[in-house]
Amino acid sequence: MKTIKRRLAAAIFTALALFLSIASGLAAPGESPFAEFRIDASGMDVSDREISVDIYRRDDGGQFQKDSSLQYSCRLNRVTSDASLFIQASGEGVWVTVDYLTDINGDGIYELLSDDSTPVWDQMDAQGTLGDSRATLARDQLYILSPDDLVSRSRQASQDRSAGGAHALDVGQDALSRQEFPLCMVRLHRTDPTGGQSDEQTYYLQIYGSVLIPFDVSPSDWFYNAVEFVLDQGYFSGVDSGHFLPNGQLTRAQLAQVLWTVGGSKQGPRTQFFDVLPSSWYYPAVCWCQEEGLIVGYSDNTFAPNDPLTREQMFTILHRYAQYAGSSLRTTISLARFSDQSQVSPWAADGLRWAVTNGLISSAVSTLGPGEVVTRAELASALYSYELNLGLRR
């Protein structure tokens, strides 16, 4: 399945390559780009983002001092770390530099170092290696820019700009902020061999791990690993504009859809619920969940797909999924130590005991919150814990 997704992504981005060369760069309107920057990755997206940047220059003592600040919109190319990055010059006199937007103090404002007398950026040589050497690209030849090099050099830039390096942008800070996803500014330059005019195309490239992490999920969030897991497995998808909405509340239909995906998206017989129509996006999922006895309806033979999903409903349904999948059904831990255990519905007690016993509910919490509505982050966390402790796949 991932191979199919990768091929599809490659086909789409090959078609978009020329568009990106113009839209991401700084070429004048109507002017043909003098080089192309192509991307192929298993995960990628492109969006217009507002970024804030502080510009630093060296003082007479060699230290960087803040010179100016600016905020602007850029086209951000987000890619997974398996990306293949290609540069191809269509004109003469083209060369490449890469700079790194760091966020040493973690305030969300990037630092960009500018010093013409002593460059602080990398240049690309004829082998695509980043460093001090610069090569003029041969026309129509394909050059490969390594994402591993970009990640490594970005981390080195963060170290060099900290108190442990030469620039010390973090003087007076108690701790450094770790920038998980390098933000690289790739510049394609061209100096006209005859007239000497200079042009520039700039691309903003952010490199992730195995999956693109939504903008509203931070490595410091308690649900970070869980979100990364459900996105990587395809159990969840993000929402518009590259967000996950971790605090978004879930419905019964949404849980049915997730379980159906976890279970392999199998076909089930026509559902008997009056309020689930064949035209509904969740119809196949509800059919399968009803066949396997994972989600039962109400006494009036309705499913109530848009009803909010409560925590006791979620763990009861996951307990039924454990029966279906042949996972452990141990229920050795009592609910007596939880202050709100009296609020648990009788039909949900076994499911909650199972969830506590098998680590889907943390032993460190003092309440169960049986009637609370489940958030996207909470379901992701429950699935991740299930995977770690029991194994989700049948």
Side-chain angles (χ1 to χ4, degrees):
M1 185 66 179
K2 290 185 178 180
T3 300
I4 295 173
K5 289 181 180 178
R6 179 180 175 86
R7 289 173 180 168
L8 178 60
I12 293 172
F13 261 70
T14 298
L16 287 175
L18 286 175
F19 169 76
L20 291 177
S21 296
I22 298 172
S24 295
L26 300 180
E31 181 182 351
S32 298
F34 55 80
E36 293 180 7
F37 183 36
R38 305 174 189 169
I39 304 171
D40 174 24
S42 61
M44 64 186 89
D45 62 31
V46 184
S47 61
D48 292 325
R49 307 296 300 179
E50 289 288 329
I51 64 173
S52 299
V53 180
D54 286 340
I55 309 297
Y56 287 80
R57 300 182 187 276
R58 280 195 179 93
D59 61 19
D60 293 339
Q63 297 298 307
F64 276 97
Q65 302 295 332
K66 183 177 174 180
D67 181 75
S68 59
S69 299
L70 55 105
Q71 184 171 5
Y72 59 95
S73 178
C74 70
R75 176 146 290 185
L76 181 60
N77 301 275
R78 302 197 313 151
V79 301
T80 46
S81 59
D82 61 355
S84 298
L85 310 172
F86 306 101
I87 297 174
Q88 187 173 30
S90 55
E92 304 294 338
V94 177
W95 47 287
V96 180
T97 64
V98 180
D99 210 334
Y100 309 98
L101 280 75
T102 57
D103 185 9
I104 300 296
N105 60 7
D107 62 356
I109 300 176
Y110 291 106
E111 301 105 7
L112 182 62
L113 307 186
S114 178
D115 192 329
D116 293 336
S117 61
T118 310
V120 292
W121 55 81
D122 280 331
Q123 304 179 91
M124 194 178 81
D125 64 19
Q127 286 72 47
T129 304
L130 299 175
D132 297 330
S133 301
R134 186 180 86 189
T136 300
L137 306 188
R139 184 171 183 171
D140 296 327
Q141 181 173 327
L142 205 61
Y143 292 83
I144 299 175
L145 185 60
S146 166
D148 290 339
D149 282 353
L150 290 172
V151 171
S152 175
R153 297 296 291 177
S154 180
R155 289 174 178 167
Q156 185 61 50
S158 294
Q159 179 61 37
D160 289 345
R161 297 171 188 181
S162 71
H167 309 314
L169 293 180
D170 63 325
V171 171
Q173 289 183 216
D174 294 330
L176 290 179
S177 172
R178 181 183 176 187
Q179 191 170 336
E180 293 287 335
F181 314 122
L183 179 53
C184 306
M185 189 164 62
V186 181
R187 291 176 175 174
L188 311 185
H189 309 262
R190 179 178 182 268
T191 302
D192 192 320
T194 55
Q197 299 93 339
S198 295
D199 297 305
E200 185 178 292
Q201 296 171 200
T202 301
Y203 303 84
Y204 292 85
L205 185 70
Q206 195 157 33
I207 303 174
Y208 290 73
S210 61
V211 63
L212 298 181
I213 302 299
F215 293 113
D216 53 355
V217 176
S218 167
S220 61
D221 292 328
W222 62 267
F223 47 78
Y224 175 84
N225 289 336
V227 171
E228 184 179 36
F229 166 72
V230 296
L231 291 176
D232 188 44
Q233 296 297 316
Y235 301 152
F236 274 62
S237 60
V239 295
D240 291 343
S241 303
H243 292 78
F244 183 77
L245 297 184
N247 296 319
Q249 295 185 335
L250 288 175
T251 64
R252 288 164 55 84
Q254 289 171 326
L255 177 58
Q257 183 73 17
V258 170
L259 279 185
W260 180 62
T261 304
V262 172
S265 303
K266 299 175 183 177
Q267 187 173 358
R270 180 181 177 87
T271 180
Q272 300 303 309
F273 295 127
F274 296 135
D275 54 351
V276 178
L277 303 177
S279 58
S280 301
W281 58 265
Y282 46 80
Y283 182 79
V286 173
C287 290
W288 178 77
C289 286
Q290 183 180 28
E291 179 190 23
E292 301 300 340
L294 303 181
I295 304 180
V296 297
Y298 295 100
S299 57
D300 59 353
N301 204 28
T302 61
F303 180 73
N306 296 318
D307 276 7
L309 178 72
T310 65
R311 284 173 56 83
E312 64 179 6
Q313 287 176 340
M314 176 181 70
F315 289 120
T316 297
I317 293 166
L318 290 178
H319 183 216
R320 292 175 186 150
Y321 180 84
Q323 294 175 302
Y324 161 79
S327 303
S328 171
L329 298 176
R330 293 181 306 123
T331 55
T332 58
I333 297 181
S334 170
L335 302 181
R337 67 178 182 83
F338 294 98
S339 60
D340 57 353
Q341 61 90 22
S342 62
Q343 300 174 23
V344 176
S345 301
W347 52 263
D350 285 345
L352 287 169
R353 280 195 294 267
W354 168 82
V356 173
T357 301
N358 293 282
L360 277 70
I361 295 177
S362 171
S363 59
V365 301
S366 59
T367 58
L368 296 166
E372 295 177 4
V373 178
V374 177
T375 66
R376 287 167 58 87
E378 287 173 333
L379 177 55
S381 180
L383 294 175
Y384 184 53
S385 297
Y386 193 131
E387 171 66 19
L388 292 178
N389 299 321
L390 301 171
L392 268 173
R393 290 290 188 178
R394 184 175 181 177

